[in-house]
Amino acid sequence: MNAPPNIDPATAYSDSDVLHWLTNDAREERFIDNIFAEMCQRLQRAGIPLKRASLHVLIQHPQWLGAKIMWADGMREAEITRVDHDVAGRSQYIGSPASEIHHGATEVRENLAGDPALGRKHAIYDDMRAMGLTDYVAWPLYHTLGKRHVVTFATDRAGGFDDAHVKSLLKLVPILALVSEIRVKNRLARTLLETYVGSHAGELILAGATRRGTGTTVRAAIMICDLRDFTHISDNWPRDDVIDLLNGYFDAMSEPIARHGGEILKFIGDGLLAIFPLDQPNACANLLHAVTEARQAMIALNQKNSETDRAPLNYGIGVHVGDVMYGNIGSTTRLDFTVIGPAVNMASRLEALTKQLGKNVLLSQAFADLVKSDFDLERVGEFPLRGFNDPVELFAYQG
């Protein structure tokens, strides 16, 4: 098999070299897109006339159904496109090679140099013909527990892939399945941890912080938010409407928190607990910027809800700053990675007081002292708080 003209024959690989690299030498590479791009380049050096390749993987993510990893001749890195959950009903998916594979096909082969009227009907084939490609093949990539992903290869060689090319590519597919499954599941573990416990806690857990009682003391600004009158809403609204309302409310609150460097540790019914560690520059100011944006998002959400005759949503936020114990707490078989301590209790008491005082956001004096030179705060007065010996001076923030 001759190497492509732009490849130095002295450095060309055989297909066995590519398999050996994929099996033994790619283990230090963390990301499947990098492995896929290098694999395609090595296949070219092995004499496979590869012009374009793609890897389509299904993932478990609250926002995305999957990801498409695309490589083309001349690219040193592959491009990643995320695919949302609604794609299955769109023309770009219906009748596509990926759809055929997902529905049970064991191979999709298309002669792109032939008469288009005699071939498969889908826009992707027209696009590939316009690129000058002559042959295309897609195969399932089998992962454990019946998961089927898709890998595709295309060439612009006159006459398409020959039998030796196809044989070499087919030998590669089961090894690529094993290598990709490891990376996809590593990414899945990280995604699930980020989704359910937050990015920082997820990193700690992946690094081995899984023993009960382990933790560290962190100085942080603490924010606790709660939706007002949720019991009345949940008792009187249809279930699906309640879930939709909660998701909209949590989006309005959560996205600004993440944008400004905060971490949501947990959702508690209709409430949330977030921290802004003080080792981050301007953590306290960032918390108030997040509150400002959340307030604006809630105004927009209430406007949208009013169009369907939903009552406006009200909320209360309590904010304090102090030392918290950040780590694993729970039973021997069920742990929670969270924060505890008097500072958290203080934020909780302030949140509860917002309804009584008619203020959306209440700040402790300890927190206010750190931001009052840069923000317009309203002094509310001193109030006793359950569990604390001395009254606490409070400030309101309108955002």
Side-chain angles (χ1 to χ4, degrees):
M1 187 182 300
N2 295 325
N6 61 338
I7 299 297
D8 180 357
T11 61
Y13 298 133
S14 68
D15 56 2
S16 297
D17 292 328
V18 180
L19 285 171
H20 183 274
W21 168 80
L22 195 58
T23 307
N24 297 280
D25 299 331
R27 59 179 174 267
E28 298 300 326
E29 177 54 62
R30 177 177 172 184
F31 300 111
I32 186 59
D33 55 308
N34 294 337
I35 292 174
F36 190 66
E38 184 166 352
M39 181 195 77
C40 291
Q41 295 168 50
R42 287 172 178 264
L43 283 170
Q44 286 186 320
R45 295 175 68 182
I48 308 295
L50 195 60
K51 195 71 174 180
R52 179 183 182 273
S54 63
L55 184 62
H56 307 252
V57 293
L58 300 174
I59 57 177
Q60 289 177 285
H61 189 279
Q63 191 172 359
W64 309 108
L65 173 66
K68 173 184 174 183
I69 299 170
M70 174 65 67
W71 175 89
D73 184 32
M75 294 174 58
R76 293 185 61 84
E77 296 182 355
E79 293 179 353
I80 301 178
T81 305
R82 292 174 293 191
V83 180
D84 64 42
H85 287 276
D86 296 330
V87 72
R90 298 180 190 150
S91 60
Q92 68 189 81
Y93 178 79
I94 298 171
S96 69
S99 173
E100 287 194 55
I101 296 294
H102 290 149
H103 285 86
T106 57
E107 178 181 276
V108 174
R109 183 85 182 269
E110 187 69 14
N111 176 12
L112 299 170
D115 184 353
L118 302 178
R120 287 179 171 84
K121 303 298 186 289
H122 193 277
I124 190 171
Y125 300 113
D126 296 331
D127 292 342
M128 288 191 288
R129 289 187 181 96
M131 297 175 194
L133 301 176
T134 58
D135 196 6
Y136 170 87
V137 62
W139 289 303
L141 209 62
Y142 294 105
H143 288 188
T144 53
L145 301 177
K147 298 292 175 59
R148 292 165 65 95
H149 307 278
V150 183
V151 63
T152 80
F153 301 101
T155 183
D156 61 352
R157 175 181 177 269
F161 293 121
D162 64 24
D163 291 344
H165 300 147
V166 173
K167 183 178 178 181
S168 293
L169 292 173
L170 268 173
K171 283 198 302 184
L172 191 81
V173 169
I175 307 302
L176 179 61
L178 293 173
V179 171
S180 63
E181 178 161 18
I182 293 168
R183 271 71 183 185
V184 168
K185 287 193 171 178
N186 284 347
R187 180 64 259 184
L188 172 60
R190 190 174 298 274
T191 296
L192 290 176
L193 284 170
E194 289 172 353
T195 300
Y196 286 98
V197 304
S199 58
H200 185 255
E203 289 292 340
L204 291 174
I205 292 169
L206 286 172
T210 56
R211 183 179 176 186
R212 183 170 64 154
T214 59
T216 185
T217 297
V218 175
R219 188 159 181 79
I222 304 110
M223 170 183 172
I224 293 181
C225 178
D226 195 59
L227 187 64
R228 293 282 170 255
D229 302 319
F230 179 67
T231 301
H232 174 76
I233 292 170
S234 61
D235 286 346
N236 292 279
W237 288 27
R239 180 203 63 189
D240 291 347
D241 285 354
V242 172
I243 292 173
D244 183 59
L245 177 145
L246 274 178
N247 286 337
Y249 153 68
F250 282 133
D251 279 344
M253 288 292 170
S254 303
E255 291 174 7
I257 292 172
R259 221 171 9 249
H260 288 280
E263 180 167 8
I264 297 172
L265 296 180
K266 62 172 62 183
F267 295 101
I268 313 164
D270 59 329
L272 66 83
L273 165 64
I275 62 170
F276 288 71
L278 295 195
D279 61 357
Q280 301 175 11
N282 307 311
C284 293
N286 287 340
L287 187 154
L288 289 188
H289 289 311
V291 168
T292 299
E293 292 182 16
R295 177 179 175 272
Q296 295 165 349
M298 286 297 295
I299 291 172
L301 178 63
N302 281 332
Q303 177 61 40
K304 179 182 176 182
N305 285 342
S306 70
E307 296 170 3
T308 55
D309 297 322
R310 293 179 175 179
L313 301 176
N314 296 306
Y315 60 91
I317 296 175
V319 179
H320 184 49
V321 64
D323 291 338
V324 295
M325 201 288 270
Y326 183 47
N328 280 302
I329 301 162
S331 71
T332 55
T333 57
R334 177 67 171 86
L335 296 175
D336 190 11
F337 209 95
T338 188
V339 291
I340 60 171
V344 180
N345 298 339
M346 171 73 77
S348 178
R349 302 292 184 269
L350 297 185
E351 181 279 314
L353 201 56
T354 57
K355 186 174 183 179
Q356 177 184 329
L357 298 181
K359 305 293 183 182
N360 285 116
V361 184
L362 285 179
L363 319 174
S364 68
Q365 181 174 8
F367 180 90
D369 286 344
L370 298 175
V371 296
K372 62 186 179 184
S373 61
D374 298 316
F375 292 87
D376 185 18
L377 307 181
E378 173 195 354
R379 184 182 180 278
V380 178
E382 288 190 350
F383 292 85
L385 298 177
R386 181 168 58 87
F388 294 88
N389 295 327
D390 300 319
V392 177
E393 187 166 9
L394 304 182
F395 293 79
Y397 176 62
Q398 297 300 322

